[in-house]
Amino acid sequence: MFKLKKMKAKTYKILLLGLLSMLGVDLIGQENLKAYLQIAADNNPGLKATFNEYMAAMEKVPQVGTLPNPNIAFGYFVQPVETRVGPQEWRFNIAQSFPWFGLLAAKEDVATEMANAKYELFENTKSNLFFEVKTAYYNYYFIEKAIEITERNIEILEVFKRLSLVKIEAGNASTVDELRVELELNDLKNQLALFADTKYALQVKFNNLLNRDDLSQIVIPDVLWQEELPQDKLDMLSEIYASNHQIKSIEHKLNAFLNQEEVAKKEGLPKFNIGLNYTVVGENPSSTASDNGNDAFLFPSVGISIPLYRKKYKALIKEAQYFQEMEENKKEDKKNTLSTIYESTHKDFNDGSRRISLNAKQSKIDKKVLDILITSYSTNARDFEEVLRIERQLLMYDLAYQKALTDKNAAVAFIQYLLGK
């Protein structure tokens, strides 16, 4: 009887822990997750790589917005050219080309929009990293809880085993009862070993996302909080269309190709050249001219480059227009894809909510059934197989409850990724 009371006390303790896990909200756990997200943002090498890609793209802006290099020429007369004011000894020429008005600014706009597209891809990479960190954190929480629940069930089975031995010694039960408990224990211990291996793999994955030591400790809450979503699905989808970084990147590329069309048009307009010539003149001993020996200086010399072959520029314009159409199609396709993904993820969110409620309810009922069966077995040694089945079912409900929590939060985390958060 003492063993029975002890076993019931342990069962009630498990019930209390389960009830607390259903009702509690660990705010400290949420703060821990925020801290981990910040560490990932600061340390993840993949995120740093995409940021450097954006910074490199920004350096394109001053490159395309600068005038072409001036041309400088120097000539030396091997045989000086005699003029009225003296022999020409060497000549210096400098010329600068100027594109059509607004061409450089249009090129800068193209490079800026392309860089902005890279920035949105960087932000998308960060959002995806946050999603991966959150799901890895939730999965690690689940495996920790799975280990705790399995260990508690092993303890309960050990009590069942001792109880069955007492009943066998008293001649009130069969040896088969003990063997059935052994079978259950062996299965649970094997499952516990698998959970331990999975825990290590998840720990390594999580810490790699944060770019820190594989065995760094991961602090999880006693109770996983439940993330929620606004009720209006249409508003949520509209917000995704407006905030998603992949769509924003496509929009920047579209703007870039609109500016590229303007560049192509201006490339087909005339270019101007302004230069100066300076000629060094020696003195003519036989000349009495007042400007004898004075250097010759010509400024400005003005030229114009006329693009006569129009086929090239027409092709450049058509190319930019095709690229615009391509980005418009990409945007529409991306919106369709996001709509499909969102509906599927929202379904997972609703399913997680239902499973949380269902498994909490089922677990509560199962515990009552288990208490009744334990009492029945302790008095008349009947229904021991049913006791083990219900105990196994209770384990299943407890694990399913924790899995539903993590699945629901993972669904919210993915929708937050779609929102660019």
Side-chain angles (χ1 to χ4, degrees):
M1 184 62 70
F2 174 74
K3 292 181 180 294
L4 175 62
K5 289 181 178 179
K6 184 177 179 182
M7 184 178 67
K8 282 189 174 181
K10 187 177 288 292
T11 304
Y12 291 141
K13 182 180 178 182
I14 294 170
L15 175 61
L16 179 60
L17 289 172
L19 185 61
L20 289 174
S21 69
M22 293 174 195
L23 298 177
V25 177
D26 195 333
L27 297 178
I28 296 176
Q30 295 184 53
E31 292 303 317
N32 285 335
L33 180 55
K34 288 180 182 178
Y36 288 139
L37 293 174
Q38 187 59 52
I39 293 172
D42 293 338
N43 294 348
N44 186 270
L47 186 60
K48 289 180 179 180
T50 54
F51 181 74
N52 286 331
E53 187 176 2
Y54 157 67
M55 293 300 292
M58 283 298 295
E59 295 301 323
K60 283 283 187 182
V61 178
Q63 295 178 43
V64 300
T66 305
L67 288 171
N69 292 325
N71 294 318
I72 300 175
F74 172 80
Y76 176 74
F77 294 93
V78 177
Q79 181 66 40
V81 178
E82 291 292 342
T83 66
R84 180 182 62 82
V85 294
Q88 295 182 353
E89 297 177 347
W90 57 272
R91 177 177 292 172
F92 170 81
N93 172 266
I94 182 170
Q96 176 65 60
S97 175
F98 294 92
W100 190 262
F101 307 104
L103 176 60
L104 294 182
K107 286 185 174 182
E108 283 185 339
D109 291 339
V110 172
T112 300
E113 290 295 341
M114 283 297 188
N116 288 338
K118 294 285 186 184
Y119 178 77
E120 292 300 334
L121 291 180
F122 157 72
E123 287 289 346
N124 184 70
T125 302
K126 184 172 74 172
S127 296
N128 184 62
L129 174 63
F130 284 1
F131 165 67
E132 290 187 10
V133 170
K134 289 175 184 177
T135 53
Y137 185 78
Y138 298 146
N139 288 333
Y140 186 82
Y141 165 86
F142 169 73
I143 213 66
E144 282 274 33
K145 292 302 173 183
I147 290 172
E148 289 179 15
I149 292 169
T150 305
E151 287 175 342
R152 290 203 303 266
N153 277 269
I154 288 175
E155 291 177 11
I156 292 173
L157 285 178
E158 292 288 359
V159 175
F160 285 166
K161 182 178 178 180
R162 291 193 293 272
L163 178 60
S164 66
L165 287 173
V166 171
K167 304 293 286 183
I168 292 169
E169 289 172 2
N172 297 325
S174 168
T175 309
V176 174
D177 290 351
E178 180 192 359
L179 295 176
R180 284 171 177 163
V181 176
E182 283 290 343
L183 288 173
E184 291 291 329
L185 279 170
N186 290 337
D187 285 341
L188 282 185
K189 288 176 181 178
N190 180 69
Q191 189 175 24
L192 185 63
L194 175 60
F195 285 152
D197 289 342
T198 305
K199 174 185 174 181
Y200 177 74
L202 289 173
Q203 184 178 13
V204 171
K205 177 181 179 180
F206 183 84
N207 285 318
N208 281 339
L209 289 171
L210 273 60
N211 195 32
R212 61 181 192 172
D213 185 75
D214 289 350
L215 299 179
S216 296
Q217 183 184 8
I218 304 172
V219 180
I220 62 168
D222 293 331
V223 179
L224 185 64
W225 64 93
Q226 291 190 48
E227 297 283 1
E228 299 295 341
L229 289 174
Q231 295 298 316
D232 196 324
K233 290 174 61 178
L234 292 178
D235 285 349
M236 179 69 71
L237 190 57
S238 298
E239 188 177 347
I240 288 174
Y241 291 157
S243 304
N244 184 265
H245 292 299
Q246 289 177 305
I247 288 184
K248 285 184 177 181
S249 179
I250 291 172
E251 289 173 344
H252 283 301
K253 286 183 180 179
L254 176 59
N255 291 336
F257 290 124
L258 287 169
N259 287 305
Q260 185 63 47
E261 182 180 354
E262 188 67 19
V263 168
K265 291 176 180 178
K266 291 182 182 296
E267 288 277 15
L269 297 175
K271 298 178 178 62
F272 305 98
N273 294 285
I274 299 177
L276 62 86
N277 293 285
Y278 189 90
T279 304
V280 176
V281 179
E283 289 189 5
N284 185 348
S286 60
S287 174
T288 58
S290 60
D291 54 355
N292 181 26
N294 288 352
D295 295 339
F297 179 72
L298 175 63
F299 178 82
S301 60
V302 180
I304 186 170
S305 173
I306 301 176
L308 296 178
Y309 307 106
R310 308 302 304 169
K311 189 174 182 180
K312 168 186 174 181
Y313 303 103
K314 289 179 181 179
L316 286 172
I317 292 171
K318 290 297 292 182
E319 179 187 43
Q321 290 172 346
Y322 281 128
F323 276 128
Q324 291 168 34
E325 187 175 351
M326 176 189 73
E327 295 301 329
E328 289 281 9
N329 292 334
K330 280 186 177 181
K331 181 179 178 180
E332 191 65 25
D333 182 61
K334 178 57 66 176
K335 290 176 72 173
N336 291 338
T337 301
L338 289 174
S339 175
T340 302
I341 293 173
Y342 170 69
E343 290 299 334
S344 177
T345 308
H346 201 277
K347 172 190 70 67
D348 294 340
F349 170 80
N350 289 334
D351 179 59
S353 296
R354 286 191 297 267
R355 285 190 289 125
I356 289 171
S357 177
L358 172 65
N359 286 293
K361 186 186 301 180
Q362 297 292 80
S363 180
K364 186 176 180 180
I365 296 172
D366 205 288
K367 286 181 175 73
K368 291 180 180 179
V369 174
L370 184 60
D371 284 344
I372 294 170
L373 288 173
I374 290 171
T375 303
S376 175
Y377 180 74
S378 66
T379 56
N380 55 28
R382 294 176 56 188
D383 299 325
F384 188 69
E385 185 175 355
E386 185 67 8
V387 170
L388 293 181
R389 189 185 71 81
I390 294 297
E391 188 278 333
R392 191 187 313 121
Q393 191 168 270
L394 179 59
L395 169 64
M396 180 191 72
Y397 287 139
D398 287 344
L399 290 175
Y401 173 80
Q402 296 295 343
K403 189 67 171 67
L405 274 177
T406 58
D407 288 347
K408 179 182 178 180
N409 281 13
V412 175
F414 190 72
I415 290 176
Q416 288 173 339
Y417 158 68
L418 297 180
L419 288 165
K421 295 182 178 179

mmCIF file of all heavy atoms in Angstrom, residues 285-319:
data_model
loop_
_atom_site.group_PDB
_atom_site.id
_atom_site.type_symbol
_atom_site.label_atom_id
_atom_site.label_comp_id
_atom_site.label_asym_id
_atom_site.label_seq_id
_atom_site.Cartn_x
_atom_site.Cartn_y
_atom_site.Cartn_z
ATOM 1 N N PRO A 285 65.721 83.729 -84.884
ATOM 2 C CA PRO A 285 66.712 84.829 -84.819
ATOM 3 C C PRO A 285 66.519 85.884 -85.900
ATOM 4 O O PRO A 285 66.866 87.059 -85.712
ATOM 5 C CB PRO A 285 68.059 84.109 -84.980
ATOM 6 C CG PRO A 285 67.765 82.672 -84.626
ATOM 7 C CD PRO A 285 66.357 82.436 -85.033
ATOM 8 N N SER A 286 65.944 85.456 -86.990
ATOM 9 C CA SER A 286 65.816 86.401 -88.107
ATOM 10 C C SER A 286 64.490 87.131 -88.103
ATOM 11 O O SER A 286 64.228 87.919 -89.003
ATOM 12 C CB SER A 286 65.975 85.642 -89.439
ATOM 13 O OG SER A 286 64.966 84.644 -89.544
ATOM 14 N N SER A 287 63.632 86.852 -87.086
ATOM 15 C CA SER A 287 62.310 87.473 -87.072
ATOM 16 C C SER A 287 62.318 88.710 -86.182
ATOM 17 O O SER A 287 62.955 88.743 -85.130
ATOM 18 C CB SER A 287 61.256 86.480 -86.561
ATOM 19 O OG SER A 287 60.003 87.113 -86.419
ATOM 20 N N THR A 288 61.597 89.725 -86.637
ATOM 21 C CA THR A 288 61.467 90.953 -85.839
ATOM 22 C C THR A 288 60.047 91.112 -85.299
ATOM 23 O O THR A 288 59.684 92.162 -84.773
ATOM 24 C CB THR A 288 61.806 92.174 -86.705
ATOM 25 O OG1 THR A 288 60.932 92.195 -87.843
ATOM 26 C CG2 THR A 288 63.250 92.125 -87.168
ATOM 27 N N ALA A 289 59.248 90.037 -85.398
ATOM 28 C CA ALA A 289 57.850 90.101 -84.932
ATOM 29 C C ALA A 289 57.818 90.246 -83.415
ATOM 30 O O ALA A 289 58.671 89.722 -82.691
ATOM 31 C CB ALA A 289 57.086 88.844 -85.367
ATOM 32 N N SER A 290 56.784 90.982 -82.949
ATOM 33 C CA SER A 290 56.673 91.233 -81.503
ATOM 34 C C SER A 290 56.367 89.953 -80.720
ATOM 35 O O SER A 290 56.686 89.849 -79.534
ATOM 36 C CB SER A 290 55.569 92.269 -81.238
ATOM 37 O OG SER A 290 54.322 91.788 -81.729
ATOM 38 N N ASP A 291 55.705 88.981 -81.358
ATOM 39 C CA ASP A 291 55.380 87.729 -80.665
ATOM 40 C C ASP A 291 56.367 86.624 -81.002
ATOM 41 O O ASP A 291 56.050 85.433 -80.902
ATOM 42 C CB ASP A 291 53.952 87.282 -81.000
ATOM 43 C CG ASP A 291 53.708 87.190 -82.503
ATOM 44 O OD1 ASP A 291 54.615 87.561 -83.276
ATOM 45 O OD2 ASP A 291 52.611 86.723 -82.896
ATOM 46 N N ASN A 292 57.580 87.017 -81.412
ATOM 47 C CA ASN A 292 58.617 86.047 -81.754
ATOM 48 C C ASN A 292 58.952 85.173 -80.525
ATOM 49 O O ASN A 292 59.225 85.686 -79.440
ATOM 50 C CB ASN A 292 59.875 86.768 -82.235
ATOM 51 C CG ASN A 292 60.968 85.775 -82.628
ATOM 52 O OD1 ASN A 292 60.694 84.628 -82.997
ATOM 53 N ND2 ASN A 292 62.210 86.202 -82.507
ATOM 54 N N GLY A 293 58.835 83.837 -80.676
ATOM 55 C CA GLY A 293 59.179 82.904 -79.586
ATOM 56 C C GLY A 293 58.042 82.657 -78.596
ATOM 57 O O GLY A 293 58.228 81.897 -77.635
ATOM 58 N N ASN A 294 56.928 83.337 -78.804
ATOM 59 C CA ASN A 294 55.798 83.102 -77.873
ATOM 60 C C ASN A 294 55.114 81.761 -78.172
ATOM 61 O O ASN A 294 54.880 81.411 -79.330
ATOM 62 C CB ASN A 294 54.767 84.225 -78.010
ATOM 63 C CG ASN A 294 55.282 85.528 -77.414
ATOM 64 O OD1 ASN A 294 56.325 85.547 -76.776
ATOM 65 N ND2 ASN A 294 54.558 86.615 -77.666
ATOM 66 N N ASP A 295 54.767 81.022 -77.082
ATOM 67 C CA ASP A 295 54.088 79.728 -77.247
ATOM 68 C C ASP A 295 52.671 79.958 -77.761
ATOM 69 O O ASP A 295 52.035 80.980 -77.455
ATOM 70 C CB ASP A 295 54.019 78.967 -75.922
ATOM 71 C CG ASP A 295 55.403 78.584 -75.416
ATOM 72 O OD1 ASP A 295 56.330 78.549 -76.234
ATOM 73 O OD2 ASP A 295 55.532 78.307 -74.197
ATOM 74 N N ALA A 296 52.192 78.980 -78.521
ATOM 75 C CA ALA A 296 50.830 79.052 -79.071
ATOM 76 C C ALA A 296 49.864 78.312 -78.141
ATOM 77 O O ALA A 296 50.108 77.166 -77.752
ATOM 78 C CB ALA A 296 50.793 78.442 -80.465
ATOM 79 N N PHE A 297 48.750 78.946 -77.788
ATOM 80 C CA PHE A 297 47.767 78.363 -76.865
ATOM 81 C C PHE A 297 46.387 78.468 -77.502
ATOM 82 O O PHE A 297 45.958 79.562 -77.875
ATOM 83 C CB PHE A 297 47.808 79.115 -75.536
ATOM 84 C CG PHE A 297 46.828 78.609 -74.531
ATOM 85 C CD1 PHE A 297 47.018 77.383 -73.904
ATOM 86 C CD2 PHE A 297 45.699 79.360 -74.202
ATOM 87 C CE1 PHE A 297 46.108 76.916 -72.968
ATOM 88 C CE2 PHE A 297 44.792 78.881 -73.266
ATOM 89 C CZ PHE A 297 45.003 77.665 -72.647
ATOM 90 N N LEU A 298 45.738 77.306 -77.669
ATOM 91 C CA LEU A 298 44.413 77.281 -78.277
ATOM 92 C C LEU A 298 43.419 76.723 -77.265
ATOM 93 O O LEU A 298 43.536 75.587 -76.812
ATOM 94 C CB LEU A 298 44.417 76.398 -79.534
ATOM 95 C CG LEU A 298 43.050 76.196 -80.213
ATOM 96 C CD1 LEU A 298 42.507 77.537 -80.720
ATOM 97 C CD2 LEU A 298 43.161 75.202 -81.362
ATOM 98 N N PHE A 299 42.397 77.488 -76.896
ATOM 99 C CA PHE A 299 41.355 77.034 -75.961
ATOM 100 C C PHE A 299 40.078 77.821 -76.226
ATOM 101 O O PHE A 299 40.143 79.049 -76.382
ATOM 102 C CB PHE A 299 41.795 77.266 -74.521
ATOM 103 C CG PHE A 299 40.752 76.857 -73.523
ATOM 104 C CD1 PHE A 299 40.621 75.529 -73.150
ATOM 105 C CD2 PHE A 299 39.887 77.802 -72.974
ATOM 106 C CE1 PHE A 299 39.672 75.154 -72.230
ATOM 107 C CE2 PHE A 299 38.927 77.419 -72.065
ATOM 108 C CZ PHE A 299 38.817 76.090 -71.685
ATOM 109 N N PRO A 300 38.920 77.217 -76.232
ATOM 110 C CA PRO A 300 38.814 75.749 -76.229
ATOM 111 C C PRO A 300 38.731 75.213 -77.634
ATOM 112 O O PRO A 300 38.402 75.968 -78.560
ATOM 113 C CB PRO A 300 37.516 75.525 -75.488
ATOM 114 C CG PRO A 300 36.660 76.705 -75.914
ATOM 115 C CD PRO A 300 37.606 77.855 -76.110
ATOM 116 N N SER A 301 39.010 73.934 -77.752
ATOM 117 C CA SER A 301 38.688 73.232 -78.992
ATOM 118 C C SER A 301 37.463 72.381 -78.680
ATOM 119 O O SER A 301 37.430 71.679 -77.680
ATOM 120 C CB SER A 301 39.856 72.353 -79.458
ATOM 121 O OG SER A 301 40.169 71.373 -78.485
ATOM 122 N N VAL A 302 36.437 72.479 -79.464
ATOM 123 C CA VAL A 302 35.146 71.816 -79.189
ATOM 124 C C VAL A 302 34.864 70.818 -80.292
ATOM 125 O O VAL A 302 35.053 71.108 -81.477
ATOM 126 C CB VAL A 302 34.009 72.852 -79.105
ATOM 127 C CG1 VAL A 302 32.682 72.164 -78.829
ATOM 128 C CG2 VAL A 302 34.309 73.885 -78.034
ATOM 129 N N GLY A 303 34.426 69.596 -79.840
ATOM 130 C CA GLY A 303 34.058 68.554 -80.799
ATOM 131 C C GLY A 303 32.756 67.905 -80.379
ATOM 132 O O GLY A 303 32.275 68.068 -79.255
ATOM 133 N N ILE A 304 32.172 67.164 -81.257
ATOM 134 C CA ILE A 304 30.918 66.464 -80.976
ATOM 135 C C ILE A 304 30.993 65.080 -81.598
ATOM 136 O O ILE A 304 31.506 64.903 -82.699
ATOM 137 C CB ILE A 304 29.708 67.264 -81.518
ATOM 138 C CG1 ILE A 304 28.407 66.574 -81.078
ATOM 139 C CG2 ILE A 304 29.776 67.424 -83.028
ATOM 140 C CD1 ILE A 304 27.175 67.423 -81.359
ATOM 141 N N SER A 305 30.521 64.079 -80.811
ATOM 142 C CA SER A 305 30.487 62.703 -81.303
ATOM 143 C C SER A 305 29.030 62.338 -81.549
ATOM 144 O O SER A 305 28.203 62.374 -80.626
ATOM 145 C CB SER A 305 31.096 61.753 -80.260
ATOM 146 O OG SER A 305 30.925 60.410 -80.645
ATOM 147 N N ILE A 306 28.714 62.017 -82.796
ATOM 148 C CA ILE A 306 27.330 61.731 -83.172
ATOM 149 C C ILE A 306 27.173 60.233 -83.397
ATOM 150 O O ILE A 306 27.842 59.659 -84.270
ATOM 151 C CB ILE A 306 26.940 62.498 -84.454
ATOM 152 C CG1 ILE A 306 27.119 64.003 -84.223
ATOM 153 C CG2 ILE A 306 25.509 62.178 -84.867
ATOM 154 C CD1 ILE A 306 26.864 64.831 -85.453
ATOM 155 N N PRO A 307 26.309 59.570 -82.608
ATOM 156 C CA PRO A 307 26.078 58.134 -82.781
ATOM 157 C C PRO A 307 25.182 57.874 -83.999
ATOM 158 O O PRO A 307 23.955 57.991 -83.917
ATOM 159 C CB PRO A 307 25.399 57.718 -81.470
ATOM 160 C CG PRO A 307 24.761 58.952 -80.954
ATOM 161 C CD PRO A 307 25.570 60.109 -81.443
ATOM 162 N N LEU A 308 25.790 57.527 -85.092
ATOM 163 C CA LEU A 308 25.028 57.358 -86.333
ATOM 164 C C LEU A 308 24.401 55.977 -86.454
ATOM 165 O O LEU A 308 23.352 55.824 -87.086
ATOM 166 C CB LEU A 308 25.960 57.599 -87.535
ATOM 167 C CG LEU A 308 26.521 59.024 -87.658
ATOM 168 C CD1 LEU A 308 27.467 59.108 -88.844
ATOM 169 C CD2 LEU A 308 25.397 60.038 -87.831
ATOM 170 N N TYR A 309 25.036 54.988 -85.861
ATOM 171 C CA TYR A 309 24.549 53.617 -86.026
ATOM 172 C C TYR A 309 23.518 53.314 -84.932
ATOM 173 O O TYR A 309 23.860 52.976 -83.792
ATOM 174 C CB TYR A 309 25.728 52.640 -85.999
ATOM 175 C CG TYR A 309 26.793 53.017 -86.996
ATOM 176 C CD1 TYR A 309 27.994 53.591 -86.578
ATOM 177 C CD2 TYR A 309 26.580 52.831 -88.364
ATOM 178 C CE1 TYR A 309 28.966 53.953 -87.489
ATOM 179 C CE2 TYR A 309 27.551 53.191 -89.287
ATOM 180 C CZ TYR A 309 28.741 53.760 -88.853
ATOM 181 O OH TYR A 309 29.689 54.123 -89.756
ATOM 182 N N ARG A 310 22.244 53.429 -85.281
ATOM 183 C CA ARG A 310 21.160 53.418 -84.307
ATOM 184 C C ARG A 310 20.743 52.016 -83.857
ATOM 185 O O ARG A 310 20.056 51.863 -82.840
ATOM 186 C CB ARG A 310 19.942 54.131 -84.893
ATOM 187 C CG ARG A 310 20.210 55.517 -85.445
ATOM 188 C CD ARG A 310 20.780 56.432 -84.398
ATOM 189 N NE ARG A 310 19.938 56.521 -83.221
ATOM 190 C CZ ARG A 310 20.301 57.088 -82.087
ATOM 191 N NH1 ARG A 310 21.539 57.576 -81.962
ATOM 192 N NH2 ARG A 310 19.472 57.160 -81.062
ATOM 193 N N LYS A 311 21.120 51.006 -84.613
ATOM 194 C CA LYS A 311 20.675 49.644 -84.299
ATOM 195 C C LYS A 311 21.088 49.226 -82.885
ATOM 196 O O LYS A 311 20.322 48.604 -82.152
ATOM 197 C CB LYS A 311 21.246 48.686 -85.335
ATOM 198 C CG LYS A 311 20.673 47.284 -85.242
ATOM 199 C CD LYS A 311 21.176 46.432 -86.389
ATOM 200 C CE LYS A 311 20.556 45.035 -86.315
ATOM 201 N NZ LYS A 311 21.032 44.171 -87.438
ATOM 202 N N LYS A 312 22.309 49.613 -82.511
ATOM 203 C CA LYS A 312 22.840 49.264 -81.182
ATOM 204 C C LYS A 312 21.980 49.859 -80.073
ATOM 205 O O LYS A 312 21.617 49.171 -79.109
ATOM 206 C CB LYS A 312 24.275 49.757 -81.061
ATOM 207 C CG LYS A 312 24.836 49.726 -79.660
ATOM 208 C CD LYS A 312 26.213 50.373 -79.614
ATOM 209 C CE LYS A 312 26.711 50.482 -78.184
ATOM 210 N NZ LYS A 312 28.036 51.137 -78.115
ATOM 211 N N TYR A 313 21.624 51.122 -80.224
ATOM 212 C CA TYR A 313 20.892 51.814 -79.164
ATOM 213 C C TYR A 313 19.436 51.362 -79.083
ATOM 214 O O TYR A 313 18.850 51.292 -77.997
ATOM 215 C CB TYR A 313 20.998 53.325 -79.364
ATOM 216 C CG TYR A 313 22.443 53.772 -79.403
ATOM 217 C CD1 TYR A 313 23.059 54.089 -80.611
ATOM 218 C CD2 TYR A 313 23.194 53.826 -78.235
ATOM 219 C CE1 TYR A 313 24.388 54.466 -80.643
ATOM 220 C CE2 TYR A 313 24.525 54.201 -78.268
ATOM 221 C CZ TYR A 313 25.123 54.513 -79.471
ATOM 222 O OH TYR A 313 26.445 54.871 -79.499
ATOM 223 N N LYS A 314 18.856 51.044 -80.224
ATOM 224 C CA LYS A 314 17.505 50.491 -80.220
ATOM 225 C C LYS A 314 17.482 49.143 -79.494
ATOM 226 O O LYS A 314 16.545 48.836 -78.751
ATOM 227 C CB LYS A 314 16.999 50.321 -81.651
ATOM 228 C CG LYS A 314 16.689 51.646 -82.349
ATOM 229 C CD LYS A 314 16.208 51.404 -83.774
ATOM 230 C CE LYS A 314 15.916 52.734 -84.476
ATOM 231 N NZ LYS A 314 15.477 52.511 -85.890
ATOM 232 N N ALA A 315 18.532 48.357 -79.709
ATOM 233 C CA ALA A 315 18.623 47.047 -79.042
ATOM 234 C C ALA A 315 18.784 47.219 -77.530
ATOM 235 O O ALA A 315 18.217 46.449 -76.742
ATOM 236 C CB ALA A 315 19.789 46.248 -79.612
ATOM 237 N N LEU A 316 19.552 48.235 -77.121
ATOM 238 C CA LEU A 316 19.725 48.497 -75.690
ATOM 239 C C LEU A 316 18.401 48.873 -75.024
ATOM 240 O O LEU A 316 18.109 48.457 -73.901
ATOM 241 C CB LEU A 316 20.756 49.615 -75.489
ATOM 242 C CG LEU A 316 22.228 49.255 -75.723
ATOM 243 C CD1 LEU A 316 23.097 50.508 -75.675
ATOM 244 C CD2 LEU A 316 22.702 48.238 -74.683
ATOM 245 N N ILE A 317 17.597 49.670 -75.740
ATOM 246 C CA ILE A 317 16.293 50.074 -75.206
ATOM 247 C C ILE A 317 15.371 48.861 -75.083
ATOM 248 O O ILE A 317 14.719 48.658 -74.055
ATOM 249 C CB ILE A 317 15.659 51.157 -76.093
ATOM 250 C CG1 ILE A 317 16.472 52.459 -76.000
ATOM 251 C CG2 ILE A 317 14.207 51.412 -75.690
ATOM 252 C CD1 ILE A 317 16.049 53.524 -76.997
ATOM 253 N N LYS A 318 15.331 48.030 -76.141
ATOM 254 C CA LYS A 318 14.483 46.843 -76.110
ATOM 255 C C LYS A 318 14.933 45.878 -75.012
ATOM 256 O O LYS A 318 14.103 45.258 -74.336
ATOM 257 C CB LYS A 318 14.513 46.139 -77.472
ATOM 258 C CG LYS A 318 13.807 46.891 -78.582
ATOM 259 C CD LYS A 318 12.322 47.046 -78.313
ATOM 260 C CE LYS A 318 11.582 45.734 -78.369
ATOM 261 N NZ LYS A 318 10.129 45.899 -78.147
ATOM 262 N N GLU A 319 16.238 45.767 -74.822
ATOM 263 C CA GLU A 319 16.762 44.890 -73.773
ATOM 264 C C GLU A 319 16.252 45.335 -72.402
ATOM 265 O O GLU A 319 15.789 44.507 -71.592
ATOM 266 C CB GLU A 319 18.293 44.908 -73.786
ATOM 267 C CG GLU A 319 18.923 44.047 -72.710
ATOM 268 C CD GLU A 319 20.433 44.225 -72.642
ATOM 269 O OE1 GLU A 319 20.893 45.394 -72.715
ATOM 270 O OE2 GLU A 319 21.143 43.230 -72.499
#
